[in-house]
Structures are given as C-alpha cells and as structure tokens.
Amino acid sequence: MRKHHALPVALLAALALTACQDGTGTQDEGAAKPQLTATANTAPTDAASDKAGNAAADTATVAKATKATKAAKAKGTSAKGTKPGTTAAPAARVSCNGANTTVTAKPVRRPINHMLITVKNTGSKACDLTYYPVLRFDEMQWAPQPMEESKPQAVTTLAPGESGYAGVALSAADGSGSGGTTGRKLTVGFQGRTPHSSGGPSAIPQLPSEGVYYDSSLTVTYWLHDMEQALSY
C-alpha cells in the first residue's frame, strides 16, 4: 500500500501560479493588447480613406471647373473666331472709299485756317482708312504732304456706322505760304494696302459756296479715330 505524502506549501503555491498564467487572468490581459493594436491600426486606415475621398472630390471639382471654362470660352467666341465687340479680322475688312462711305469737308473756326474731313462707313463691313487722304482742289497738279507726326500706331478701322477724321491745314497762319488761291472743288482720294496705291473710288464732298482758300503750305493728317486729335496738328 502506497503512502501519500503531503506536498509542501511552497510547491502548491507554485502550481497555483502556473495555473493562473495558463488560465483567464493573464490571458485576458494578453488579449487586450491585440485589441489595442487593432484600434491603433484603424485610425490610419480611416485617414487614408478620407484622404482618398478628398482627392477624388478635388479631382471632380477641377474637372468641373475645366469643363465650365471651356464652355465659357466657346460661348465668348464667334463662329469666325472673333470675340464679339472686337475689330474684324483683316480678311473680313475692306478698304474705305467713295463707294461705301459718306464724306464731308468743312472749314472750322479753331484752329484757324483748318478744315475737317469726316468719313462715315455706310457699308455692311468694317473698312480700313489707310494712310492719309489724297487731296486735290480743282485741277491742282501737286498733292499735299502728310503730317508725319500725326501717323497712328495702327490703321484706322471703321465699323459700320463709325466715322474717321483727317485734319487739313489750308494755309500758313503767319502768311509764309505762297500761291494762295480759292478752291471750288475738292476730290478726296483713298489709298489701298500699300502707299500711293488706289483704295477705290474717290469722293467729292461739297464745299462752302464761297470756296476754300489754301496756299503752298497745304498739309493733311493721317486718318484718325478722334476728331479733336485730327485738328490738333
């Protein structure tokens, strides 16, 4: 018959501690760590998801803005590629001349000894007033010279209904001119795309009944858009 010996108290305590480590006590603490790790990993995942969502929204916004810009550009451009309100392209313009304009020639009080030539576009297309008018009183055999200081930076273009101007210095205010005479008839010639070329039919505006006095100092400005500027030389 075997004899059972009582285990020492210290050994029983060691066995109890081992049982606790293999049971629920420490096991629960160990399970809590993976749970914390999973929670920590969730934040970056959510942030990445939000970032991706924001990027997609930004991309959609940019695409929408680009589409709107293209639509606005297409709406602001005419079929001919010219924006409304801008000057017509050179190919769509013609030369201003006696056939598509009305022309007047009137002496002015100020400055003295000056005359204003006005050309109004009566056609349906924009026309160019190139260079300066070629003036001829009666049967005169010489052409007045242009005032080079009045030359504009760009050609004077008239839309339908618009007017252009040229100032004429008829005679020297100090009496230094020679060969003074009175003109009864004035012919206004138009130049083409190149200097001294024909721009089309001339115009013969009506002069005052008393005629217009001029002398050898007779000069004319280039065609200009502004009436006051035309009379400032």
Side-chain angles (χ1 to χ4, degrees):
M1 180 177 183
R2 295 181 180 179
K3 294 182 179 182
H4 297 280
H5 300 280
L7 294 176
V9 174
L11 180 59
L12 291 174
L15 291 174
L17 179 61
T18 301
C20 290
Q21 289 177 347
D22 294 338
T24 59
T26 307
Q27 187 70 23
D28 289 343
E29 294 178 359
K33 289 182 181 180
Q35 184 175 1
L36 290 175
T37 303
T39 302
N41 289 338
T42 301
T45 302
D46 292 343
S49 177
D50 291 343
K51 186 175 181 181
N54 291 338
D58 291 343
T59 302
T61 301
V62 172
K64 185 177 181 180
T66 302
K67 185 177 180 180
T69 301
K70 290 182 178 181
K73 288 183 178 180
K75 184 177 181 180
T77 304
S78 67
K80 294 183 178 180
T82 303
K83 293 183 179 179
T86 59
T87 304
R93 303 197 303 259
V94 296
S95 294
C96 299
N97 54 50
N100 55 15
T101 65
T102 57
V103 182
T104 60
K106 296 181 178 180
V108 295
R109 292 184 177 182
R110 292 286 184 274
I112 61 172
N113 304 334
H114 274 65
M115 181 172 68
L116 178 68
I117 298 177
T118 303
V119 175
K120 182 178 181 179
N121 182 359
T122 57
S124 59
K125 296 182 179 180
C127 68
D128 290 337
L129 283 170
T130 50
Y131 308 106
Y132 52 88
V134 179
L135 304 182
R136 183 183 182 187
F137 282 104
D138 300 316
E139 301 300 325
M140 65 186 296
Q141 300 300 311
W142 55 279
Q145 294 300 304
M147 304 178 197
E148 290 298 334
E149 63 272 24
S150 68
K151 187 176 183 179
Q153 295 182 351
V155 65
T156 298
T157 300
L158 304 181
E162 286 188 333
S163 296
Y165 308 90
V168 183
L170 295 168
S171 59
D174 59 3
S176 60
S178 60
T181 186
T182 299
R184 304 293 181 179
K185 176 183 176 182
L186 174 65
T187 302
V188 179
F190 298 87
Q191 300 186 60
R193 301 294 179 184
T194 57
H196 310 298
S197 63
S198 175
S202 299
I204 304 177
Q206 185 176 358
L207 295 178
S209 58
E210 67 273 17
V212 174
Y213 179 84
Y214 68 94
D215 63 21
S216 61
S217 66
L218 179 67
T219 53
V220 63
T221 69
Y222 281 74
W223 291 115
L224 300 168
H225 275 294
D226 187 77
M227 177 178 63
E228 292 184 0
Q229 184 182 5
L231 292 174
S232 65
Y233 297 96

